Amino acid sequence: LTSLEASHTQLQHYAARVADLAATEERNRLARDIHDSLGHHLAAINIQLEKANAYRKRDPSRAYEAVDHAKRTVQAALKDVRESVSSLRQDSEPFLFSEALNDLLRRMRHSGLELKLTQTGDRSPYSRLKLMTLYRVIQEGLTNVHKHAGASQVKIAIDFGAQVATLDLIDNGLGFDVAAWKSRSHEQTAHGLLGLQERLSLVGGTLDICSQPQGTQLAVKIPQAQAP
């Protein structure tokens, strides 16, 4: 009887530990969603409002155009919030990867970046989570390029292979010290790329970063089938 009581107590302890770990993972996932999605949209809205303010006197039509783009970005942010809520409710609706990516590129082109996209392969075997992860990598990568890289051009190459999906996101910006970034991975300014690494690890993916004064490359691989 004493042994059974001890086993029961231990099982309760394990159950509580599992619940704590699950809650921690859910908090981390929500934090990544807030940073990657809402953070991107707020940065884009700020860009458009700054543009509107700069042109409001000398070119009112461009100022109104910037405000209109900011309004559309607000609508996109609300759509992302609804999708996040749906995922919390375990909604099984498919993620429209091409539609979401085209909307993202259309918004980012208003920031002045020249974007070149090439896409090959069949994405249908890839799960909603993996497509969403790939989209978040591109979203965060473009946000970082605009905010930090001082680049004028970004090339995005996606290949949905039979076994592995690959993404190369290459800019012609100023580059950064990757080793220094890794050493500061606990700091708030590093949370974007750190969050991407966490997202990718959940789907068995990898992220390699190569940066030089002539530009930066993000190289991503996501397997079609989850490793056992």
Side-chain angles (χ1 to χ4, degrees):
L1 182 60
T2 301
S3 178
L4 286 174
E5 289 178 347
S7 296
H8 180 66
T9 300
Q10 189 175 37
L11 285 173
Q12 288 181 320
H13 173 75
Y14 287 154
R17 179 61 175 163
V18 169
D20 286 342
L21 290 173
T24 299
E25 175 55 34
E26 185 62 15
R27 284 196 299 269
N28 289 339
R29 190 182 72 80
L30 289 172
R32 289 191 295 268
D33 280 345
I34 291 171
H35 180 280
D36 296 348
S37 178
L38 291 182
H40 162 79
H41 289 305
L42 290 173
I45 292 167
N46 185 58
I47 291 167
Q48 295 303 324
L49 293 180
E50 287 180 349
K51 182 177 178 181
N53 188 53
Y55 283 102
R56 64 190 176 91
K57 291 184 178 179
R58 66 176 185 267
D59 193 342
S61 64
R62 294 194 66 178
Y64 289 135
E65 181 185 16
V67 171
D68 185 58
H69 290 319
K71 181 180 178 180
R72 294 179 188 177
T73 303
V74 170
Q75 293 170 342
L78 291 172
K79 180 180 178 182
D80 263 10
V81 169
R82 287 193 292 269
E83 288 181 351
S84 295
V85 172
S86 294
S87 68
L88 288 175
R89 294 173 177 169
Q90 296 183 341
D91 198 328
S92 59
E93 290 185 6
F95 173 60
L96 302 178
F97 178 80
S98 290
E99 179 180 313
L101 181 57
N102 289 334
D103 286 343
L104 171 63
L105 297 184
R106 185 163 49 250
R107 292 195 302 270
M108 291 305 300
R109 285 192 177 99
H110 292 298
S111 68
L113 284 173
E114 179 186 350
L115 304 175
K116 295 184 178 180
L117 171 67
T118 59
Q119 190 174 170
T120 57
D122 179 14
R123 65 178 177 272
S124 61
Y126 290 85
S127 68
R128 183 184 193 279
L129 179 59
K130 293 183 178 183
L131 292 175
M132 176 69 80
T133 300
L134 195 62
Y135 171 80
R136 293 300 187 201
V137 172
I138 299 171
Q139 185 182 55
E140 178 64 18
L142 290 177
T143 301
N144 285 339
V145 169
H146 177 77
K147 291 170 64 177
H148 307 298
S152 61
Q153 184 183 87
V154 181
K155 296 179 181 179
I156 304 168
I158 308 170
D159 177 56
F160 291 101
Q163 297 182 350
V164 178
T166 61
L167 162 68
D168 290 303
L169 192 151
I170 306 170
D171 68 66
N172 64 346
L174 303 174
F176 68 100
D177 189 333
V178 177
W181 167 75
K182 290 181 178 179
S183 69
R184 300 195 307 270
S185 60
H186 63 285
E187 297 180 7
Q188 185 175 2
T189 54
H191 285 179
L193 292 176
L194 181 62
L196 293 185
Q197 288 183 319
E198 291 174 349
R199 281 183 181 276
L200 287 164
S201 68
L202 293 175
V203 295
T206 60
L207 169 65
D208 291 320
I209 304 173
C210 178
S211 189
Q212 304 177 35
Q214 297 80 22
T216 299
Q217 176 180 6
L218 303 184
V220 171
K221 292 183 179 180
I222 299 179
Q224 189 271 317
Q226 194 74 26

